[in-house]
């Protein structure tokens, strides 16, 4: 199975994120989702074939379904201003042509269930990002209502959870309130849709940008990289849940004796294949369609 770890487009400069290669076309961007995978703040040397195509196609599906103002123009290569000599096979299925925005420097995180860093904080303080939660919650419990827990965007390392008051200091009260309300609305809409298809969206993060005074939903939406997806048929509070993301990768790295401070090891074939299968299963469950790039 062929994978794409790096891309290049003749005549265009590239900015490289952990997973995406970003090409600036003036008023627009080309976002190319590679098959790179990161864990514990490291980009691993082994790609996951088809992963970038899952992320790109799933985001395009959600942008259309949600109907929120967003930055996506097209995922059809024939509708993009690409150089004639570009390797179209390399870009197929993994490329989005989007409007360029001024990115708002906040990760808009919504949590419907308590897990991960939120669970750790709750165990220590009974709160999450300054929000008081009911006593006696168990790990992975559904919250009485979804909560908005913003974070600051970090170029490297972990994003930092912040309070809503701190978000107001960063972006202003009016914008903070609007982003909170929109994020909660989008989460509820997406979570209800996913649950009907056997997937619990435990938490997720959104990004927004501004173009000509309009606030647009940008980046990726409800993917296994930006969300915690759990299979509904095996959900059981009181423990961590199996998930449709990097679980096999994280578990293997934890068991392999890697110190998380030195370059990570290559992933074995079975871990790569199991992870690929989970990404594709998430796509097919949510869209109801056969993954077209398998």
């Amino acid at each position: 199975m062929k994978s794409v770890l790096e891309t290049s487009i003749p005549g265009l400069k590239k900015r490289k994120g952990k997973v995406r290669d970003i090409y600036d076309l003036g008023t627009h961007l080309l976002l190319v989702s590679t098959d790179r995978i990161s864990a514990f703040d490291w980009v691993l040397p082994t790609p996951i074939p088809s992963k970038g195509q899952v992320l790109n196609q799933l985001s395009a599906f959600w942008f259309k379904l949600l109907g929120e103002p967003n930055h996506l123009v097209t995922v059809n290569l024939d509708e993009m201003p690409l150089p004639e000599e570009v390797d179209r096979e390399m870009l197929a299925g993994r490329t989005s042509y989007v409007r360029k925005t001024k990115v708002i420097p906040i990760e808009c995180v919504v949590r419907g269930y308590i897990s991960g860093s939120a669970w750790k904080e709750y165990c220590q303080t009974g709160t999450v990002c300054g929000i008081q939660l009911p006593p006696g919650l168990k790990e992975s419990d559904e919250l009485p209502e979804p909560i908005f827990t913003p974070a600051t965007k970090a170029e490297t390392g972990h994003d930092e959870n912040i309070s809503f008051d701190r978000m107001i200091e960063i972006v202003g009260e009016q914008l903070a309130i609007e982003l909170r309300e929109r994020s909660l609305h989008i989460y509820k809409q997406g979570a209800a849709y996913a649950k009907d298809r056997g997937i619990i969206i435990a938490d997720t993060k959104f990004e927004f940008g501004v173009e000509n005074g309009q606030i647009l939903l940008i980046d990726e939406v409800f993917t296994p990289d930006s969300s915690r997806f759990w299979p509904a048929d095996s959900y059981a509070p009181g423990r961590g849940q199996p998930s449709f993301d990097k679980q096999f990768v994280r578990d293997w790295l934890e068991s392999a004796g890697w110190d998380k401070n030195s370059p990570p090891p290559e992933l074995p074939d079975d871990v790569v294949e199991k992870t690929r299968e989970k990404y594709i299963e998430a796509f097919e469950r949510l869209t109801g369609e056969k993954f077209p790039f398998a």
Side-chain angles (χ1 to χ4, degrees), residues 226-237:
S226 68
S227 314
R228 212 181 299 262
F229 288 168
W230 297 337
D233 57 6
S234 62
Y235 170 66

Side-chain angles (χ1 to χ4, degrees), residues 225-280:
D225 272 19
S226 68
S227 314
R228 212 181 299 262
F229 288 168
W230 297 337
D233 57 6
S234 62
Y235 170 66
R239 58 170 172 80
Q241 309 297 309
S243 59
F244 290 90
D245 57 10
K246 309 172 188 178
Q247 179 189 353
F248 292 112
V249 170
R250 292 194 195 99
D251 289 350
W252 185 82
L253 289 170
E254 291 276 19
S255 67
W258 175 49
D259 62 9
K260 301 179 186 175
N261 293 312
S262 55
E266 293 276 354
L267 298 175
D269 290 346
D270 64 319
V271 171
V272 170
E273 185 54 32
K274 286 176 182 175
T275 304
R276 177 179 179 272
E277 287 172 0
K278 279 297 173 188
Y279 274 80
I280 290 174

Side-chain angles (χ1 to χ4, degrees), residues 197-218:
R197 283 146 187 82
I199 290 181
I200 292 170
I201 303 180
D203 53 48
T204 194
K205 65 179 180 179
F206 305 116
E207 292 193 43
F208 294 89
V210 180
E211 184 211 35
N212 294 329
Q214 185 181 27
I215 299 172
L216 302 178
L217 183 61
I218 65 170

Side-chain angles (χ1 to χ4, degrees), residues 101-114:
T101 68
K102 182 179 179 182
V103 178
I104 298 168
I106 297 289
E107 297 277 6
C108 291
V109 180
V110 181
R111 304 177 188 273
Y113 295 72
I114 189 160

Side-chain angles (χ1 to χ4, degrees), residues 119 160 288:
W119 169 245
E160 180 187 354

Side-chain angles (χ1 to χ4, degrees), residues 81-94:
L82 298 172
E84 286 187 15
E85 62 271 33
V86 73
D87 180 353
R88 297 173 74 87
E89 183 182 353
M90 171 189 69
L91 300 179
R94 61 180 71 252

Side-chain angles (χ1 to χ4, degrees), residues 67-253:
E68 282 284 316
N70 65 75
H71 71 162
L72 181 63
V73 178
T74 186
V75 291
N76 184 345
L77 291 183
D78 294 335
E79 298 172 355
M80 300 180 194
L82 298 172
E84 286 187 15
E85 62 271 33
V86 73
D87 180 353
R88 297 173 74 87
E89 183 182 353
M90 171 189 69
L91 300 179
R94 61 180 71 252
T95 307
S96 288
Y97 182 56
V98 304
R99 288 184 277 171
K100 189 193 290 186
T101 68
K102 182 179 179 182
V103 178
I104 298 168
I106 297 289
E107 297 277 6
C108 291
V109 180
V110 181
R111 304 177 188 273
Y113 295 72
I114 189 160
S115 185
S117 63
W119 169 245
K120 291 177 183 176
E121 182 182 339
Y122 172 78
C123 289
Q124 294 172 347
T125 65
T127 64
V128 175
C129 293
I131 300 170
Q132 187 71 47
L133 295 180
L137 291 176
K138 301 187 293 295
E139 184 179 5
S140 305
D141 260 340
E142 184 173 9
L143 298 172
E145 278 292 322
I147 58 174
F148 179 74
T149 60
T152 51
K153 289 171 58 63
E155 288 297 319
T156 57
H158 285 295
D159 295 336
E160 180 187 354
N161 292 340
I162 59 174
S163 68
F164 186 67
D165 286 343
R166 176 63 184 138
M167 179 178 172
I168 289 173
E169 291 175 3
I170 296 170
V171 302
E173 185 173 16
Q174 184 176 345
L175 181 55
I177 290 171
E178 179 173 350
L179 293 181
R180 178 177 65 185
E181 296 311 305
R182 282 182 65 175
S183 297
L184 288 166
H185 170 74
I186 296 168
Y187 171 79
K188 289 174 183 177
Q189 188 179 352
Y193 174 91
K195 204 164 188 179
D196 285 344
R197 283 146 187 82
I199 290 181
I200 292 170
I201 303 180
D203 53 48
T204 194
K205 65 179 180 179
F206 305 116
E207 292 193 43
F208 294 89
V210 180
E211 184 211 35
N212 294 329
Q214 185 181 27
I215 299 172
L216 302 178
L217 183 61
I218 65 170
D219 198 56
E220 59 183 311
V221 183
F222 290 132
T223 70
D225 272 19
S226 68
S227 314
R228 212 181 299 262
F229 288 168
W230 297 337
D233 57 6
S234 62
Y235 170 66
R239 58 170 172 80
Q241 309 297 309
S243 59
F244 290 90
D245 57 10
K246 309 172 188 178
Q247 179 189 353
F248 292 112
V249 170
R250 292 194 195 99
D251 289 350
W252 185 82
L253 289 170

